[in-house]
Every structure is written in C-alpha cells, then in structure tokens.
Amino acid sequence: MRERTGYVFLHRKLIDSRVFQNAELLKVFIWCLLKANHEGRWVPLTVGRGKIEVFVKPGQFIFGRSTAAKELKMPASSVRNRIGTLQKIEIISIKADTHYSIITIINWNTYQAI
C-alpha cells in the first residue's frame, strides 16, 4: 500500500452543492478526492492469472467496488449507487474494463490547482 501523504483542497462552494446535502454521497466524494493520484504513475494490477501495469493520470484512480466498500465501511450496493450518482451529476467519469475501472474526477485540475 502506498504511503498516504499530502493533502487535497476542498472549495467552500462544496457547502452549496448537491453532494453536501447527502452525508453518504459527501463521504464517497471526499474518498474519491483522497484516492485520486496527484501525479501520473504506473499502477501494477493482478488480473485473472496475470499482472499488468496501468498508467493512471492525475485526478484518476483504480476503482473496485468491493475494495471501496471495505474502505468506506458501506455495503457494495451503496457504493455502487453513490458512485453512479456522482457520475450522473458529472462530478466523476468511469472508464470500465473487464478487470478494473478507472475513475476520473472531472475538473480535477480546477479543484486542486495550487
């Protein structure tokens, strides 16, 4: 597991958003911000019987529903629903593969600009 260092920015406008009105949705959104890479890197993955490396850009992360459910301490169905809501309101996008998904936080550079 990678060392968890650094920080993310939360804009004050978040308080006026649809996300802020739902505690579990806010939790999943902030989890997404914390999971997202701050710089591009190759991520090793085990898929089936083999191993691959996937390049993940800033603002992206590898997503697995069962791992997310454990980390968020939520049922997998709740995670799926909240992630679906974030996608529907265009806060994230999801590129699904047969073995993994990459979540991209839309406007990551705007949110996290220094």
Side-chain angles (χ1 to χ4, degrees), residues 29-88:
F29 173 63
I30 291 174
W31 176 84
C32 288
L33 289 175
L34 295 172
K35 294 292 285 184
N37 288 298
H38 70 283
E39 60 188 13
R41 71 183 190 99
W42 288 96
V43 178
L45 294 176
T46 302
V47 292
R49 294 183 180 182
K51 293 187 184 231
I52 62 169
E53 282 192 334
V54 177
F55 188 75
V56 182
K57 299 175 186 174
Q60 296 181 327
F61 64 98
I62 304 292
F63 174 77
R65 191 171 48 221
S66 60
T67 300
K70 288 178 191 172
E71 289 183 12
L72 289 162
K73 296 178 178 47
M74 296 174 131
S77 60
S78 294
V79 172
R80 181 190 68 235
N81 293 341
R82 299 316 180 280
I83 289 291
T85 299
L86 291 174
Q87 183 179 22
K88 181 179 171 186

Side-chain angles (χ1 to χ4, degrees), residues 2 5 11 17 20 22-23 28 30-32 41 47 49-50 57-60 70 87 94 101 104 106 109-112:
R2 284 181 45 194
T5 60
H11 198 283
S17 73
F20 193 79
N22 180 313
V28 173
I30 291 174
W31 176 84
C32 288
R41 71 183 190 99
V47 292
R49 294 183 180 182
K57 299 175 186 174
Q60 296 181 327
K70 288 178 191 172
Q87 183 179 22
I94 303 170
S101 295
T104 301
I106 298 171
N109 290 333
T110 301
Y111 299 147
Q112 301 305 309

Side-chain angles (χ1 to χ4, degrees), residues 12-26:
R12 293 181 194 277
K13 287 183 182 181
L14 179 62
I15 203 165
D16 298 322
S17 73
R18 290 173 59 187
V19 173
F20 193 79
Q21 305 309 312
N22 180 313
E24 286 193 342
L25 188 59
L26 179 63

